[in-house]
Amino acid sequence: MTTIRRFCCNDLLRFASVNFDHLTETFNMSFYMTYLARWPDYFHVAEAPGNRVMGYIMGKVEGQGESWHGHVTAVTVAPEYRRQQLAKKLMNLLEDISDKIDKGYFVDLFVRASNTPAIKMYEKLGYVIYRRVLRYYSGEEDGLDMRKALSRDVEKKSIVPLKRPITPDELEYD
């Protein structure tokens, strides 16, 4: 049975094996600690029996006005636990927090343009490609900014795709 719970400091010492996937973005410890301290509601871990880390999701809430939104910084599932809809459960949890608690207009995430399986999964979850960000990853690979409107965005304005790609320096950071 899978347990999904809030991430805690001890998990930082136990989740390295989940990050081995070459498509998973990894960060330094202070980055993870900042998310854990600032946005604890957006940081969850999935555990298998025996307390083995199966996957995690890390995000935040940011923006202002109609750009107020939840952001998925990372979601990853260890290879041996994939195809069990674990990423879907983690994404739904972050979406619910963004929608019901923080009253965001949308949830967004960035994904490598070459990561077709992830893009298809996000599309199945209701995300659309909002815009392409040229050379987003390490200044080489394009990223796709994908969004899903939440209940506050009644007219779905937040997910109307941009007509042209942008560069990383055009991104709005909060």
Side-chain angles (χ1 to χ4, degrees):
M1 173 161 201
T2 302
T3 302
I4 296 178
R5 62 168 175 75
R6 279 177 59 175
F7 203 91
C8 66
C9 288
N10 287 342
D11 294 321
L12 291 169
L13 306 172
R14 304 178 331 113
F15 79 135
S17 62
V18 178
N19 283 350
F20 286 151
D21 182 340
H22 71 284
L23 294 172
T24 297
E25 201 75 22
T26 56
F27 308 98
N28 61 44
M29 282 294 183
S30 65
F31 188 86
Y32 292 109
M33 292 296 286
T34 298
Y35 271 73
L36 192 53
R38 290 190 64 190
W39 303 286
D41 291 341
Y42 284 79
F43 207 163
H44 286 83
V45 63
E47 283 183 328
N51 298 330
R52 181 146 182 206
V53 175
M54 303 167 73
Y56 66 90
I57 191 164
M58 166 170 93
K60 61 184 175 179
V61 63
E62 62 184 1
Q64 43 191 295
E66 289 186 4
S67 291
W68 181 246
H69 68 281
H71 173 73
V72 178
T73 303
V75 60
T76 190
V77 174
E80 62 269 30
Y81 297 111
R82 291 187 183 152
R83 307 235 178 265
Q84 297 178 27
Q85 299 207 349
L86 191 51
K88 176 183 178 179
K89 289 176 185 157
L90 291 167
M91 292 290 292
N92 287 340
L93 179 60
L94 188 139
E95 291 165 11
D96 282 347
I97 292 165
S98 299
D99 191 33
K100 295 178 174 80
I101 296 173
D102 288 314
K103 308 284 189 239
Y105 285 87
F106 61 93
V107 171
D108 78 343
L109 57 88
F110 291 86
V111 61
R112 291 177 185 276
S114 64
N115 192 349
T116 306
I119 294 165
K120 287 182 179 177
M121 178 194 74
Y122 295 133
E123 288 174 338
K124 279 185 187 173
L125 295 176
Y127 287 78
V128 299
I129 298 171
Y130 174 69
R131 60 188 171 184
R132 177 178 286 265
V133 184
L134 303 173
R135 300 172 306 284
Y136 180 75
Y137 289 97
S138 303
E140 295 175 18
E141 184 173 0
D142 291 356
L144 301 178
D145 179 356
M146 298 186 76
R147 292 185 176 188
K148 180 177 182 176
L150 297 175
S151 61
R152 189 170 181 188
D153 184 6
V154 178
E155 296 176 27
K156 309 281 188 243
K157 290 193 262 181
S158 65
I159 62 170
V160 176
L162 292 185
K163 297 191 185 327
R164 67 169 185 86
I166 65 167
T167 59
D169 60 316
E170 294 176 89
L171 288 169
E172 333 63 47
Y173 291 104
D174 299 295

